[in-house]
Amino acid sequence: MIVVIDSLNRHEFPELLDEMFRLRARVFGGRLGWEVEVTDGREIDAFDALDPLYVIGLDEEGHVISCARALQTTGPHMLADVFSAILHGEPPLRSANLWESTRFCVDTERLTLGRGSVKGTVSHATCELMIGSLEYLRSCGITDIVTVIDPVMDRVLKRSENAPYGYVGETTPMGKVPAMAALLDTGEERVERVRAFAGIAGSVFADQVALGRLRLREEVLAAVRRMEGAPQAVADLVDYIDGQLRAATTDGEREAVRRLALGLSATGGVQAAWRATRQALAGAA
Amino acid sequence: MELIDLGATVHSEGVFEDFLHQICERFELEHAAYAGVNPVSQTIHGFVTYPDAWKRHYTEQGLDRLDPTLHCAARSIAPVDWSRLAGQPNFDRVFRDAGDFGIGRLGLTIPVRGPFGDIGMLSVSGNGRPEQWHKRVAEVISDLQSVAVHIHDTVMRSEDLSRLLRHPQLSKRELEILQWTAAGKTQHDIGEILSISHRTVEVHLKSSRDKLYALTTSQAVARAIALRLIYPI
């Protein structure tokens, strides 16, 4: 399931964005060994301050499993600045209908833990994110994408019926890994090919019901985070409440968790909240 | 109908308004408005096709300070359909008044970001049923993106200082493709000659057009020749 976050709705989804920055830190700072700055377990750079558009993939439990970031090529973007070595001093492409996609990644750790379902595979998550990105950008009037990727991602694109139609500049080492700038169109034919390859039919975007659940989670966790107490104790309580929300299967159960969380946050301190929770659990048992 | 080539025009009074009127006519829109901020010269530019009475009311009431189609869209990179702004503070305030002047709530603002921190917004509005509007937008949005960048770049370039900063910077590949185009080769031919896909040729031509402030490839070729970036053949 794909959620698109931009300057208009980012205030509604701080938890999702935070989870995305942590995923980027694990992938780019960890697994891929790119030269990125990771602070406090999060990879955030100067371009994130420019209100880019994020396309984020979630698994069935609501965990962030994939993401990509889009910027206009008419204004500041990575190829013009950070990745300019790929272009060997040549000015980058600049077009109203061309956006740059960067920081495309998938949570291979979580996905290869595997729960056996087709939907939980790396390939499915990658294709879903690609379909979401291509379709959303097309709806914005964007006909082409220039994307900075490594050769591994290039092979993934080719394997999933989504081969770049061209490249700009040359493959250039960026830190430990080579990077390249590939061109993709957002045409329907390409999307259809990827859909057929991955066996994905129907809308990949979160519907109103799913968005409503995500907003409820944001509201609940924000209330818990506002509580006073030792940071670790607050974090533990957030994890606990989040776990309860993920375990909830009906709207009634979700509403119960919401009432519990808001009730706890009204008690003020985390210590008191844990006491109340333990008492409630003891009462239930 | 050909749109005015703003890149070539000596910017006389009213040329940007004329361009907006042409946009409305070509894309079957009710109104169009452009607002742009140039941080280099600290100036604000605004051009609209709205009736004078609404312009007066808008200014007198200071609606520019409230208007979410300006303030929210300025931070977005994607086009903002006004239906997404319905929950914003001041949306009702601005659009209740707008309704009194016959301006509806169906609209779209396309933000443009330039290389020097400059920001522009092309807003267009329509009438009729929302479904029709959204269908219409889907058909023309990619052209609207293109004209939004065209008007933004040319408005920003209308100031002397910015014109100096905005000297077109084309890559070797873009110049090579423009040179072959000047020689009469098609995109397909050029792809064969350079051993690249015709779509790669096309995206470079699009980029060259935007960099040269041209709406068509022939305008871009003419301008590149005038700037001595390529040779006439």
Side-chain angles (χ1 to χ4, degrees), chain A residues 165, chain B residues 173 176-177 180-181 185-202 205:
Chain A
Y165 66 70
Chain B
R173 186 61 109 190
E176 184 175 38
I177 289 170
W180 281 116
T181 308
K185 299 290 181 194
T186 64
Q187 285 183 24
H188 191 83
D189 297 338
I190 300 170
E192 300 255 298
I193 294 166
L194 301 176
S195 303
I196 53 179
S197 68
H198 72 90
R199 185 97 190 190
T200 306
V201 176
E202 193 181 330
L205 278 175

Side-chain angles (χ1 to χ4, degrees), chain A residues 50 74 90 92 96 140 143, chain B residues 113 145 172 197 206 210-211:
Chain A
L50 301 176
T74 53
E90 292 286 313
C140 295
T143 55
Chain B
R113 289 186 192 177
Q145 282 272 17
K172 281 187 202 131
S197 68
K206 261 187 194 171
D210 281 1
K211 287 178 176 180

Side-chain angles (χ1 to χ4, degrees), chain A residues 46 131 187-188 224 263 270:
Chain A
I131 293 164
E188 278 175 41
V224 178
V270 173

Side-chain angles (χ1 to χ4, degrees), chain A residues 4-12 47 50-53 70-76 88 90-99 136-145 165-168 183-187, chain B residues 72-73 75-81 84-85 88 111-115 117-118 137-138 141-143 145-147 149 152-153 166 169-174 196-197 199-204 206-208 210-211 213:
Chain A
V4 177
I5 299 184
D6 63 10
S7 65
L8 264 71
N9 63 354
R10 68 178 296 161
H11 65 281
E12 291 184 281
F47 296 92
L50 301 176
D51 283 315
L53 183 130
L71 281 162
Q72 292 158 323
T73 57
T74 53
H88 292 275
E90 292 286 313
L93 291 164
R94 178 182 192 268
S95 160
N97 300 115
L98 173 74
W99 278 2
Y136 196 84
L137 264 56
R138 190 202 305 146
S139 79
C140 295
I142 300 309
T143 55
D144 297 85
I145 300 173
Y165 66 70
Y167 300 87
V168 284
L183 293 163
L184 304 169
D185 61 273
T186 64
Chain B
C72 294
R75 289 176 47 222
S76 177
I77 72 158
V80 178
D81 194 275
R84 273 192 83 187
L85 300 172
Q88 295 289 336
V112 179
R113 289 186 192 177
D118 44 309
V137 166
I141 188 149
S142 133
D143 288 336
Q145 282 272 17
S146 178
V147 293
V149 167
H152 174 75
D153 283 345
R166 284 170 177 264
Q169 304 217 327
L170 276 73
S171 68
K172 281 187 202 131
R173 186 61 109 190
E174 284 167 335
I196 53 179
S197 68
R199 185 97 190 190
T200 306
V201 176
E202 193 181 330
V203 82
H204 280 83
K206 261 187 194 171
S207 172
S208 304
D210 281 1
K211 287 178 176 180
Y213 313 105

Side-chain angles (χ1 to χ4, degrees), chain A residues 47 49 64 75 106-107 116 138 142 145 173 202 214 217 228 236 251:
Chain A
F47 296 92
V64 172
V106 174
D107 191 345
R138 190 202 305 146
I142 300 309
I145 300 173
L214 290 172
R217 173 171 177 261
E228 285 174 15
D236 287 347
D251 282 346

Side-chain angles (χ1 to χ4, degrees), chain A residues 187-216:
Chain A
E188 278 175 41
E189 276 178 41
R190 176 180 293 273
V191 176
E192 284 315 310
R193 285 200 309 268
V194 180
R195 280 180 174 279
F197 170 81
I200 298 176
S203 171
V204 295
F205 297 103
D207 59 14
Q208 287 307 319
V209 174
L211 286 174
R213 278 179 201 157
L214 290 172
R215 288 196 184 97
L216 180 134

Side-chain angles (χ1 to χ4, degrees), chain B residues 116-127:
Chain B
F116 303 105
D118 44 309
I119 287 176
M121 280 164 283
L122 177 70
S123 293
V124 295
S125 62
N127 50 22

